[in-house]
Amino acid sequence: SSYTGDQPAFPDDEEISNAYRDTVKLIQTVDRKMIGYERLEDIPTYLFKLVEDLVEIFFSESEKVKAALIMIFSDSIVDCYVDVKWVPLACCTITLIERLVEHQSRVGGETLVDCYNRTIKAGEKLYELCKRIYERHPDETQKVKDHMQGFLCDSMHLVMRVGDKKSFAEKTRILAEYDGPLNPRRVRRTDEEIWHMWRKENPTYIEQNPFACIYCGKFELENGGKKHNQCSACMNALYCSKKCQKSHWKQHKAGCKAISRSKNSTSR
């Protein structure tokens, strides 16, 4: 479980101190309650809502909240937790987010879209913080990586379902490193090749977890028997309709053009 003992000294600024206390309390409270549930379907909805509140903290525009987050995940705080053999808060939090990703990907709709646009991004920030922990505390490497690996797996599955081949391939390559040195043949494969290879090797998962529209979150099975279509330019996003593709263009435009340019330069 997470650290529940005396916290290090709080900053002088009252608002930062309050944000610090509230965030740490939220992480610890949800962490303790989540431990009691092995099956995802048994977790009460209110606990997922609390993790969603935690995710939103990572997107706060408040300078006070940002300062509190920097302190919570700072090296000095991590050292305190490691010294007394408690799990650092970054590790606890990434595990909570892992379970939220799995839940949101099952719900679909706007919830799934929020997972892709916000939950996974918050998890990726925590992933980088966890990397820093095991780089500074080599003895904790395996424990920390266990927390990181679960998030990587669930976020990889989510980005695959919305057709984000680039993110899927990146996460697949990182996960492969957990099993030892990368197979040189796999390293050289393109994002497209990794995508098709994984889907070919995991037919049962593909059957049980249908594609989803990257804009509205509608599952392919809910689309009247019609298959979702890829963006023809980048082949890196799935849509249930032309309407969704058009509505998503403003958000998708920059990434689409970057991937398209990269493909064109590689093919020359």
Side-chain angles (χ1 to χ4, degrees), residues 171-228:
K171 293 178 189 300
T172 302
R173 291 186 184 102
I174 295 170
L175 271 170
E177 294 176 5
Y178 283 79
D179 299 323
L182 283 175
N183 183 325
R185 291 182 61 192
R186 282 181 178 258
V187 174
R188 290 195 295 267
R189 291 185 186 275
T190 65
D191 294 353
E192 188 86 19
E193 288 170 338
I194 290 174
W195 162 274
H196 287 296
M197 181 175 65
W198 194 92
R199 290 180 60 78
K200 184 178 180 180
E201 293 173 352
N202 297 274
T204 302
Y205 179 86
I206 301 307
E207 184 179 333
Q208 295 174 351
N209 296 273
F211 283 135
C213 176
I214 200 170
Y215 179 72
C216 74
K218 180 187 286 185
F219 292 130
E220 202 169 63
L221 296 177
E222 301 170 343
N223 203 26
K226 291 172 56 181
K227 288 189 174 182
H228 288 3

Side-chain angles (χ1 to χ4, degrees), residues 55-94:
V55 168
E56 289 308 308
I57 293 173
F58 284 88
F59 294 92
S60 174
E61 294 299 321
S62 165
E63 294 302 321
K64 305 292 185 181
V65 172
K66 290 178 182 178
L69 283 177
I70 290 171
M71 183 180 177
I72 289 168
F73 300 115
S74 66
D75 291 344
S76 59
I77 301 293
V78 167
D79 292 345
C80 289
Y81 280 57
V82 172
D83 287 345
V84 294
K85 304 300 181 185
W86 272 288
V87 179
L89 287 172
C91 297
C92 297
T93 310
I94 200 170

Side-chain angles (χ1 to χ4, degrees), residues 60-159:
S60 174
E61 294 299 321
S62 165
E63 294 302 321
K64 305 292 185 181
V65 172
K66 290 178 182 178
L69 283 177
I70 290 171
M71 183 180 177
I72 289 168
F73 300 115
S74 66
D75 291 344
S76 59
I77 301 293
V78 167
D79 292 345
C80 289
Y81 280 57
V82 172
D83 287 345
V84 294
K85 304 300 181 185
W86 272 288
V87 179
L89 287 172
C91 297
C92 297
T93 310
I94 200 170
T95 299
L96 296 176
I97 287 181
E98 171 207 338
R99 304 201 83 176
L100 179 61
V101 169
E102 190 178 359
H103 166 71
Q104 291 178 320
S105 65
R106 290 186 184 187
V107 173
E110 291 182 1
T111 301
L112 184 146
V113 176
D114 283 343
C115 182
Y116 178 72
N117 290 326
R118 299 180 80 78
T119 307
I120 287 179
K121 287 181 173 56
E124 287 170 347
K125 293 178 182 178
L126 285 160
Y127 182 87
E128 293 303 316
L129 289 166
C130 288
K131 276 177 64 177
R132 181 165 176 78
I133 293 172
Y134 75 69
E135 286 168 358
R136 296 184 68 254
H137 298 277
D139 292 345
E140 302 295 316
T141 296
Q142 191 53 54
K143 294 178 186 176
V144 177
K145 280 191 172 183
D146 287 345
H147 288 274
M148 298 164 68
Q149 192 168 8
F151 166 73
L152 271 177
C153 282
D154 284 318
S155 60
M156 179 190 79
H157 294 156
L158 189 281
V159 298

